[in-house]
Amino acid sequence: MRKFLLLIVVFMFLLLPTVNAFAGRIVLANDEWTLSNTGFSGPNDPGTFAANVGDWFSGGAGNFLAYSSNFGLTQSALGTAMANAGHTYTVDMSVTFDLATLSGYDGVFLAGNPADNSVLIDYVNAGGNVYLAGGTGFGGAAAEAARWNPFLNNFGLAFGSVYNQVGGNIPINSPHAIFNNVDYLYQNYGNSTIDIVVTDPSAEVLVSLNGKGLYAVYDAAP
């Protein structure tokens, strides 16, 4: 009987996805408005959120690339918040998007503009970090999910293929480090975040509203 139970445990272990212990981290946000200038209004705490993400990625003062022309990653309030937190935040789409280039940064911020999924997979597997926001309207909800899911699925996450109709200043209730001192964040109809392998502790939806995932993370060593 003991041998039979041991075989069951071993079989269940083999079903779990392989985790690269040296891989980096991913923060998946359902919408791009969160870090826009509009998102900095009202009771929201996007500056604290962005600084926390930077700290979680780098462990201190980090060097980050925003490879996007989307307003959610390029407006002034975000740049100021990151600078005030001691981070270097550079918006530049002219760089060569390959592993060698990205490896010079502690993390890359993405929204809207396409990027090579295979490069992103290699980057995270090599220890790089990615912040990815959906809900940009770039091609529509299904196209936006399809653009990023080859990358996300490799790490147990996904974007939903319809916009979630969640808008406004949303209360945040999570003990995760990226939400330290974050009480509210703004969003305006994003792609829901999904944990596609619930048995894998490295990927997790942290904040949901009415069953719709808003913020998720991947951490190879949670």
Side-chain angles (χ1 to χ4, degrees), residues 6 11 13 53 75 121 138 176 188 209:
L6 178 61
F11 177 72
F13 178 79
V53 170
Q75 292 187 335
I121 291 170
F138 195 109
H176 195 279
N188 186 17
L209 183 67

Side-chain angles (χ1 to χ4, degrees), residues 1-14:
M1 181 65 178
R2 290 181 179 178
K3 183 177 181 180
F4 177 71
L5 291 175
L6 178 61
L7 287 172
I8 291 176
V9 171
V10 171
F11 177 72
M12 292 179 67
F13 178 79
L14 291 174

